[in-house]
Amino acid sequence: MSELTAHLDVPLGRGAPAAARRTVNAVLAGWGFHDADWLDACAVVVSELVTNAVRHGGGLVELSIEAHGGRVTVAVADGSSVVPRRRDPDGVGGRGIALIEAFSNGWTVENHHGGKRVRVELEPYPGML
């Protein structure tokens, strides 16, 4: 199976996470990913990545999706070089990294055009591996 990729710039603002979730869901559905539970987990990861990029990243937010067979990677890049870290939850946040870890096979951070890109390998798609 060939690799499928999609890249988009996410408009900044309060609606960015929801717009990113809808877009990723539409792209993945177009690629044949229809399992509702798996897509919900993916939406949580995308929402957390985009929320963190908009809140803490600065500059443009770039979203990319890669699929090869049942393996899907979602990545979000922003203009900050500050590496995300797990922190204690409070009334404002602090749950993002824990949620990403709960719904994925892991995440990494890499330098990206003076900022960073956070890459998350989602759980394998059910029945495709």
Side-chain angles (χ1 to χ4, degrees), residues 27-114:
V27 168
L28 290 171
W31 290 349
F33 296 89
H34 299 289
D35 183 87
D37 291 335
W38 186 87
L39 288 169
D40 286 347
C42 178
V44 170
V45 170
V46 168
S47 189
E48 291 302 325
L49 289 172
V50 172
T51 297
N52 288 341
V54 168
R55 247 191 213 161
H56 308 293
L60 266 176
V61 174
E62 177 187 306
L63 173 69
S64 62
I65 314 158
E66 300 171 2
H68 184 77
R71 297 200 182 279
V72 176
T73 302
V74 177
V76 172
D78 62 48
S80 171
S81 60
V82 176
V83 174
R85 63 177 175 78
R86 190 183 269 269
R87 64 184 180 92
D88 291 331
D90 58 25
V92 179
R95 293 167 187 84
I97 298 297
L99 286 169
I100 288 169
E101 289 172 347
F103 292 113
S104 73
N105 277 345
W107 59 282
T108 59
V109 180
E110 56 195 24
N111 292 331
H112 183 74
H113 302 294

